Amino acid sequence: IGAILVLSELLTWPDWALADRFTWGFPVAGYIPPSNIFGAAKEAPGQITMCEILGVDADIWNAVVENDCRERETDAVICESTKAEQLDGKLSCSYSKSDLDHMFGVGEWRAVRRRTIWQQGKNRWRNIDNAKKSLTNPAALLLDTIKTTPFDITAAILLNLRSELGCLSGELAPGLSSEDQKNAYHTIPNARWQLGFCVIAFLDVDVRPPRMRFCLSWGHVFGFKSAVNNYNRVPEFCIAIARRVLAALSWHFFDDVGTISLSLDRETGVHMAAEVFSLLGLPVNPEKHEDWSQHLVHLGVVHDFSLVHLDVLSYEPKPGRVIKIVDKCKLAREAFPRRSILAW
């Protein structure tokens, strides 16, 4: 937190409340204070207040969640992964509804039911906490919205390097390195006064009969609308430090960090960016580090720098992407015969 304060002053960073948020936590519902670094958000339809989802309505909702003990195909996956997060300290121990009624007060908390989806591209399950259905997301008022980095940011950087340095060859040949922040959303602490909105519900299938259990999430989870803005404030700050203080040609797309370096000093830039994240207590995942290369998959495409010395830069779909698209088209065609498509 001290480093955030000092570096914010050094950069005259507009997001002056960042250190305060890491001290007291980031709100997940109600008014989400803007960061001063993102653009204005459009008015969200169906906006409600925190008061509307607490009280009697919250108690009824929590009772419905607790009593829904129907077993689903993915419950074992959810149960196992949730208990692993409890062991890692990301989630609290398990509670019953009566435990949380005693902790927060009846109707003063609202559970979020956990579900999971299979991510084909990453070959893994991804837990999603359904804050939309619990009405936590409609009760989050966001006045700003993020702007993501396009994959062709590398083209813009290379054009600037070309204009300043001339032909990009030999020791000046550029390459791309990448990092991935570890436990991205979980590193953003939830506001302690809003832990009643950070209650994760899952079916414990390790007991018979299965029963619904609840646990508190200390950090943001995938599913909170507010997590998008709250989380992205952090890599924005880290990348600003890497660029302005350390002169690293870095950027980020959520938790993915990319850096362009020249052949004469291949790894310094990406290492400096990684050190900034570590300095602020948000380390990158060493297992996902990608070394300097002129042919690297990043942000969903292959960045090919091999002909940059001839002023040629190309982007290609990452391996397997075209085949997957073709396969999905075939499945769609089989599901909807030509005659049905024409009739539709």
Side-chain angles (χ1 to χ4, degrees):
I1 293 173
I4 294 175
L5 283 170
V6 171
L7 291 167
S8 295
E9 182 68 20
L10 179 65
L11 297 181
T12 317
W13 189 241
D15 191 1
W16 52 267
L18 194 58
D20 182 67
R21 292 285 168 260
F22 273 99
T23 302
W24 303 108
F26 292 73
V28 300
Y31 174 63
I32 311 298
S35 62
N36 301 321
I37 59 173
F38 301 135
K42 296 180 181 179
E43 184 176 350
Q47 183 72 51
I48 58 178
T49 67
M50 286 195 300
C51 293
E52 293 178 79
I53 63 171
L54 292 176
V56 175
D57 187 76
D59 190 49
I60 294 173
W61 166 260
N62 294 333
V64 169
V65 172
E66 183 183 46
N67 293 324
D68 185 8
C69 295
R70 295 170 295 171
E71 292 191 66
R72 299 170 175 83
E73 292 182 356
T74 56
D75 281 332
V77 173
I78 294 172
C79 181
E80 181 182 0
S81 60
T82 300
K83 289 185 176 182
E85 289 181 16
Q86 289 177 315
L87 290 174
D88 288 341
K90 298 173 184 175
L91 301 176
S92 73
C93 61
S94 297
Y95 297 102
S96 66
K97 179 180 179 297
S98 60
D99 291 333
L100 295 181
D101 284 340
H102 179 74
M103 183 184 300
F104 295 111
V106 176
E108 296 302 314
W109 61 281
R110 196 173 181 99
V112 179
R113 181 70 185 266
R114 173 159 285 189
R115 60 187 182 91
T116 193
I117 60 171
W118 177 254
Q119 292 183 305
Q120 188 66 39
K122 297 183 177 180
N123 196 37
R124 69 176 187 184
W125 292 99
R126 157 78 84 170
N127 286 336
I128 301 177
D129 298 302
N130 198 348
K132 180 179 180 180
K133 190 171 183 179
S134 69
L135 300 182
T136 312
N137 284 348
L141 176 60
L142 297 165
L143 300 182
D144 57 358
T145 185
I146 68 167
K147 184 177 181 180
T148 56
T149 302
F151 71 85
D152 59 354
I153 186 175
T154 51
I157 292 175
L158 291 178
L159 281 171
N160 284 328
L161 287 175
R162 178 70 170 84
S163 65
E164 294 292 331
L165 302 177
C167 181
L168 300 177
S169 61
E171 290 188 335
L172 299 181
L176 176 61
S177 310
S178 69
E179 301 281 7
D180 193 297
Q181 192 194 337
K182 191 174 183 179
N183 299 323
Y185 277 10
H186 285 291
T187 61
I188 306 303
N190 292 328
R192 291 299 177 257
W193 69 92
Q194 288 198 353
L195 284 180
F197 292 107
C198 307
V199 178
I200 308 304
F202 70 100
L203 190 67
D204 188 348
V205 296
D206 293 335
V207 297
R208 288 295 163 190
R211 57 178 174 171
M212 193 63 65
R213 301 294 282 167
F214 304 93
C215 54
L216 306 181
S217 175
W218 307 122
H220 282 16
V221 292
F222 194 76
F224 284 148
K225 181 173 71 171
S226 56
V228 176
N229 284 28
N230 289 341
Y231 167 73
N232 276 281
R233 294 167 66 171
V234 179
E236 283 287 316
F237 181 55
C238 292
I239 293 300
I241 297 168
R243 288 175 175 174
R244 302 182 194 182
V245 179
L246 303 173
L249 299 177
S250 301
W251 61 89
H252 83 97
F253 182 94
F254 284 80
D255 56 348
D256 291 317
V257 179
T259 302
I260 285 180
S261 302
L262 302 181
S263 181
L264 58 87
D265 192 14
R266 298 187 176 195
E267 293 293 330
T268 299
V270 71
H271 285 162
M272 287 191 298
E275 284 301 315
V276 171
F277 280 87
S278 295
L279 174 66
L280 302 184
L282 309 164
V284 297
N285 188 346
E287 296 179 1
K288 294 188 177 181
H289 169 78
E290 293 289 348
D291 289 333
W292 188 95
S293 175
Q294 290 196 310
H295 195 268
L296 189 69
V297 177
H298 181 62
L299 301 186
V301 298
V302 177
H303 297 249
D304 189 349
F305 291 5
S306 61
L307 297 178
V308 166
H309 63 287
L310 300 176
D311 293 337
V312 176
L313 168 66
S314 67
Y315 299 103
E316 306 166 5
K318 67 180 183 180
R321 175 64 62 85
V322 173
I323 294 175
K324 288 180 181 178
I325 293 174
V326 171
D327 288 343
K328 287 184 177 181
C329 290
K330 289 180 179 178
L331 290 173
R333 188 171 182 177
E334 292 172 0
F336 300 97
R338 181 176 178 83
R339 182 178 297 176
S340 300
I341 294 175
L342 291 176
W344 181 78

